[in-house]
Amino acid sequence: MAAAVAAKQVPLTFEAVTEVPLRKPHTPRCHDIPTNINYYKDPGDGSLPMPIVIADNTVKNERPHTPQQVVIHDVTGEKEKYSLDSHGFQFLRHESKIKYLHEFQDEDTVKAEYYSESIQLLKDVTGAARIFIFDHKTRCGPSNWHKLGKGNRSSRGPLLRAHVDQSYDGAELVLRRWFPDEADELVKRRYQIINIWRPIRPVAKDPLCVADATSIPDSDLVAASIVYPRDRDETWTIKPRATHRWYFKYAQQPDEVLLIKCFDSDETVPARRAPHSAFEDSEQKDRESRESIEARALVFYD
């Protein structure tokens, strides 16, 4: 008879599993800033705004303004939401070969090196057929530079007033000034004026903010002149409205370029022009003056 074999049961044991919480993706902290934007103080009598007069290296700007409380929203972590055609501005990563203030203050260096890399940047972003940079301004002076009197243009600093560099008519003035022989044909196709705004060192004092173009109706734009000894420009100054939406990049770095659309001849796009202004951050008002450069470009399409 076969011997019976008893099966020995071994109790099952389970190792405790320690749950490791999923690490949440890092979301950069946004620094929205309550401050004032200086708007045009419209006298309400239908009169034109007082012109800005530029002569003898001196800017005279006595146009009345009215400060309005706003909140400037930080785009940190969501820069990709904003584009030239949807909002009138766009933030990009782009490193310049030029690094220092003294280089940006050298006209020959800027025109020979910075212009060419800025033209390539705009071509890559817009797909435009032709780009011509017609002006640039380097800013490193104090925010009260307008009040410094004769020769204040040499101490150019931030402009703490809401504006657009060209009105619709002012954009055509620029086009005809630089391309008098081609202008009649060029105005038949789409063209734009776009500013390339770059910090020269990280921004603390007097950052630049830009408005969502779709939050500012044409009825809030007032054509205003800049008068030179033998010429004139026409810009937009801006009347206040509580529904305007303003944006900036906190601690904007030299490789964080801001493109600002000042004009677009295409009337079908949502954003044809983007008002902009420097503003005061009360936590940074005792820091050194801001250093920045803006290049202004005519952008042509086939």
Side-chain angles (χ1 to χ4, degrees):
M1 183 176 178
V5 179
K8 184 179 181 181
Q9 289 188 330
V10 179
L12 298 175
T13 60
F14 299 91
E15 291 184 4
V17 177
T18 302
E19 290 189 7
V20 178
L22 293 175
R23 181 173 295 178
K24 294 181 179 180
H26 173 67
T27 302
R29 179 188 171 195
C30 289
H31 293 75
D32 292 354
I33 296 179
T35 186
N36 287 325
I37 291 289
N38 291 317
Y39 286 95
Y40 174 55
K41 187 175 183 179
D42 189 349
D45 58 5
S47 60
L48 296 174
M50 183 181 297
I52 295 171
V53 179
I54 300 179
D56 298 326
N57 200 36
T58 302
V59 179
K60 184 180 180 181
N61 185 354
E62 297 178 351
R63 188 178 295 157
H65 63 276
T66 177
Q68 301 288 314
Q69 290 187 337
V70 300
V71 174
I72 315 292
H73 299 288
D74 180 15
V75 303
T76 297
E78 56 178 26
K79 292 184 293 185
E80 66 282 350
K81 288 173 57 176
Y82 308 98
S83 70
L84 286 169
D85 282 348
S86 65
H87 292 80
F89 63 91
Q90 189 167 338
F91 286 90
L92 302 168
R93 286 279 186 184
H94 179 268
E95 188 170 351
S96 174
K97 295 177 182 177
I98 305 176
K99 306 293 184 186
Y100 304 107
L101 177 61
H102 72 271
E103 295 176 295
F104 283 109
Q105 290 176 319
D106 186 291
E107 291 279 320
D108 293 337
T109 298
V110 170
K111 290 180 178 179
E113 298 184 36
Y114 191 66
Y115 277 24
S116 61
E117 65 182 29
S118 297
I119 287 170
Q120 188 59 53
L121 171 64
L122 280 180
K123 282 187 175 181
D124 292 342
V125 172
T126 66
R130 180 182 179 189
I131 292 170
F132 174 74
I133 295 181
F134 62 89
D135 187 26
H136 76 275
K137 287 179 169 51
T138 303
R139 300 180 187 269
C140 59
S143 53
N144 68 340
W145 66 282
H146 275 143
K147 299 179 180 179
L148 298 180
K150 190 171 179 61
N152 61 7
R153 205 176 185 191
S154 297
S155 302
R156 184 187 291 116
L159 182 57
L160 284 86
R161 299 189 185 192
H163 67 286
V164 182
D165 293 5
Q166 290 83 26
S167 68
Y168 298 151
D169 290 340
E172 188 168 335
L173 286 175
V174 172
L175 174 63
R176 292 188 177 277
R177 179 181 302 138
W178 290 101
F179 296 96
D181 297 332
E182 301 178 63
D184 287 344
E185 290 300 317
L186 290 172
V187 296
K188 296 176 182 178
R189 302 192 296 272
R190 186 185 187 188
Y191 74 99
Q192 301 167 323
I193 296 179
I194 297 175
N195 286 3
I196 306 122
W197 193 90
R198 181 191 298 273
I200 296 173
R201 64 180 177 187
V203 175
K205 185 177 181 178
D206 300 328
L208 184 73
C209 66
V210 62
D212 176 355
T214 64
S215 73
I216 299 186
D218 278 358
S219 57
D220 290 348
L221 307 177
V222 182
S225 292
I226 300 176
V227 178
Y228 307 93
R230 296 179 179 84
D231 208 348
R232 64 179 288 270
D233 282 316
E234 188 177 275
T235 68
W236 292 124
T237 187
I238 318 297
K239 294 189 291 187
R241 186 185 296 264
T243 53
H244 295 171
R245 297 186 294 271
W246 293 91
Y247 300 88
F248 85 117
K249 171 64 176 65
Y250 180 78
Q252 189 174 348
Q253 302 296 303
D255 66 345
E256 293 178 311
V257 175
L258 172 59
L259 303 183
I260 305 170
K261 187 193 289 185
C262 291
F263 172 77
D264 195 331
S265 64
D266 185 350
E267 298 181 12
T268 67
V269 296
R272 292 189 66 200
R273 71 291 176 277
H276 47 282
S277 175
F279 69 94
E280 183 180 281
D281 178 353
S282 60
E283 295 183 0
Q284 309 287 348
K285 63 182 181 180
D286 295 325
R287 301 287 293 273
E288 292 181 303
S289 296
R290 189 190 79 199
E291 296 178 2
S292 62
I293 182 169
E294 66 223 46
R296 299 171 175 177
L298 279 159
V299 179
F300 300 103
Y301 297 84
D302 288 334

